[in-house]
Each structure stands twice: as structure tokens, then as C-alpha cells.
């Protein structure tokens, strides 16, 4: 995960909080939060290789398919749940968002933006986009529900999910005034802090 993205998420996580990271990958984000924010963290991952990497880092991790439910975590009272670069891989993103906000007071979601201008050019030329945020060809990708910044914010409105904060990143993984003025066209990635209304 890019340093800037980690920094944004870290700023939103309170010190000494209880955090669950869905699709935690190799556990790098949780390890950073454990070190800098002294959190009690748990990861959820389906990839065996990534689970081994979490264990090697000392990150508690559970093997679980998020699409099959999150019921075993319901009584855990997390402060923050995180889903970084995973929501577009789920069968039902809206259900996942609502479940996350039942498990925790707030959630952090990051997603690639299909509305980014280079993606639009690829689509206009008849090809599915391949970018650093969407690195796999259409036949190799785990992404099944790609969306734009506007699509995601419309879903939040429909589901009565409050956007507490948001940050948009450019192709270099940085914030800029230009990107924040037209994120649906210029941002490669959106980073959101969400609460239930």
C-alpha cells in the first residue's frame, strides 16, 4: 500500500482503538497501525500466501470470504473497520458497507476510480482499462463491481451512509487542488471515512 494512503488512513484511526481490516492483504497497514496508534487489530483475508505474510509480521488474521458474511464479528464492537482496495471485488458492496457499519462506529473504504480520464480513454477505444490501481487485464481481475467516484457517493447517499471525510489521489498517489476540484475525472483513487446516519 502506498505511503500516502497509509498516512491518510492512519490519521483517521484513533489511538488505542479496536480495528478490523477486511481484505488486509499482507498485514502491512495493520502492522503500521499497531506500531503508531497502539491499536488492537485483526485482519480478515482469503489468500493463503497473504495470511502467511500477516502471521510473519505478527498480525492476527482470520481466513474468511467476506462475501459469505461477517456474522462472527458482530459482538466485537470495533471502533473502525477498514476495506482498502477490496470493495470492488465483492458480490454485494452495499451489503458489505452496511455490515461494516454495524460492526464499527466508522469505516474507511478506498476504491479505484473507473471515471479517471485514462480509464475513459481506454473504454472509448474499446478496451478495459489497465492502470496502477487496476493492474490486471479483464480476464485476470478480481474486480467485479468497478465504479466511479460519483457512483460510490450516490451509493452512500442511497444507503444513508454519511461521508465524514474524503481524500482523492492522483496518478502519483498524492493529493492536489486540481484533483479535488474534479475528482470523478482526475482522481485515480478515492479514500473515504464513513459513518451510518
Amino acid at each position: 500500500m502506498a505511503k500516502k494512503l497509509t498516512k491518510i488512513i492512519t490519521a483517521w484511526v484513533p489511538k488505542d482503538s479496536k480495528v478490523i481490516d477486511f481484505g488486509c492483504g499482507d498485514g502491512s497497514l495493520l502492522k503500521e497501525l499497531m506500531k503508531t496508534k497502539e491499536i488492537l487489530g485483526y485482519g480478515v483475508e482469503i489468500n493463503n500466501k497473504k495470511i502467511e505474510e500477516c502471521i510473519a509480521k505478527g498480525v492476527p488474521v482470520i481466513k474468511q470470504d467476506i462475501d459469505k458474511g461477517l456474522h462472527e464479528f458482530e459482538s466485537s464492537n470495533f471502533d473502525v473497520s477498514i476495506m482498502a482496495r477490496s470493495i470492488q471485488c465483492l458480490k454485494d458492496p452495499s451489503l458489505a458497507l452496511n455490515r461494516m457499519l454495524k460492526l464499527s462506529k466508522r469505516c474507511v473504504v478506498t476504491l479505484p476510480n473507473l471515471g479517471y480520464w485514462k480509464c475513459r480513454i481506454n473504454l472509448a477505444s474499446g478496451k478495459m482499462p489497465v492502470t496502477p490501481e487496476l493492474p490486471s487485464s479483464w480476464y485476470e481481475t478480481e474486480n467485479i463491481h468497478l465504479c466511479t467516484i460519483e457512483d460510490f457517493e450516490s451509493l452512500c447517499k442511497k444507503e444513508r451512509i454519511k461521508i465524514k471525510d474524503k481524500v482523492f489521489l492522483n496518478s502519483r498517489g498524492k493529493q492536489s487542488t486540481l484533483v479535488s476540484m474534479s475528482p470523478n475525472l482526475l482522481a485515480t483513487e478515492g479514500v473515504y471515512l464513513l459513518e451510518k446516519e
Side-chain angles (χ1 to χ4, degrees):
M1 183 175 295
K3 286 182 182 178
K4 180 66 178 176
L5 186 55
T6 299
K7 190 175 177 182
I8 294 163
I9 295 171
T10 301
W12 288 341
V13 174
K15 193 173 167 122
D16 298 317
S17 56
K18 192 173 178 185
V19 177
I20 188 162
D21 185 356
F22 295 104
C24 68
D26 67 3
S28 295
L29 175 62
L30 278 173
K31 185 70 177 176
E32 180 67 18
L33 290 169
M34 292 162 107
K35 187 173 83 175
T36 59
K37 292 295 185 96
E38 299 173 14
I39 64 147
L40 181 59
Y42 301 91
V44 178
E45 181 56 56
I46 196 166
N47 182 298
N48 287 329
K49 186 176 184 301
K50 291 177 180 177
I51 289 170
E52 288 172 14
E53 291 172 357
C54 287
I55 293 166
K57 287 181 174 80
V59 173
V61 62
I62 297 166
K63 183 172 182 174
Q64 174 80 30
D65 182 343
I66 301 165
D67 276 320
K68 292 186 178 170
L70 311 172
H71 309 296
E72 55 268 41
F73 306 108
E74 283 176 2
S75 61
S76 301
N77 296 321
F78 290 98
D79 298 297
V80 180
S81 55
I82 299 170
M83 190 173 290
R85 299 179 174 173
S86 299
I87 196 161
Q88 73 280 358
C89 301
L90 301 180
K91 290 177 184 169
D92 193 337
S94 61
L95 181 62
L97 278 174
N98 282 296
R99 284 178 175 164
M100 286 172 71
L101 286 164
K102 281 184 182 173
L103 298 175
S104 61
K105 299 175 185 98
R106 290 183 167 183
C107 74
V108 177
V109 173
T110 77
L111 61 141
N113 175 27
L114 193 65
Y116 177 55
W117 69 271
K118 284 188 179 178
C119 294
R120 294 181 193 207
I121 288 172
N122 284 339
L123 288 167
S125 69
K127 295 179 181 176
M128 282 298 289
V130 176
T131 68
E133 290 71 31
L134 299 167
S136 302
S137 297
W138 68 270
Y139 53 87
E140 299 171 313
T141 187
E142 296 175 351
N143 298 318
I144 57 175
H145 286 293
L146 291 169
C147 67
T148 67
I149 296 291
E150 285 185 17
D151 290 329
F152 183 75
E153 293 187 3
S154 294
L155 174 64
C156 289
K157 187 175 182 180
K158 178 180 168 284
E159 296 295 325
R160 301 180 61 124
I161 294 170
K162 185 176 181 182
I163 299 172
K164 288 288 292 177
D165 204 351
K166 55 188 173 181
V167 174
F168 303 109
L169 303 177
N170 64 21
S171 60
R172 294 183 306 282
K174 296 182 178 178
Q175 293 173 259
S176 76
T177 305
L178 188 61
V179 169
S180 62
M181 287 169 54
S182 186
N184 202 52
L185 181 65
L186 301 176
T188 59
E189 189 164 19
V191 189
Y192 290 88
L193 177 63
L194 307 173
E195 278 183 0
K196 196 70 179 167
E197 283 184 6

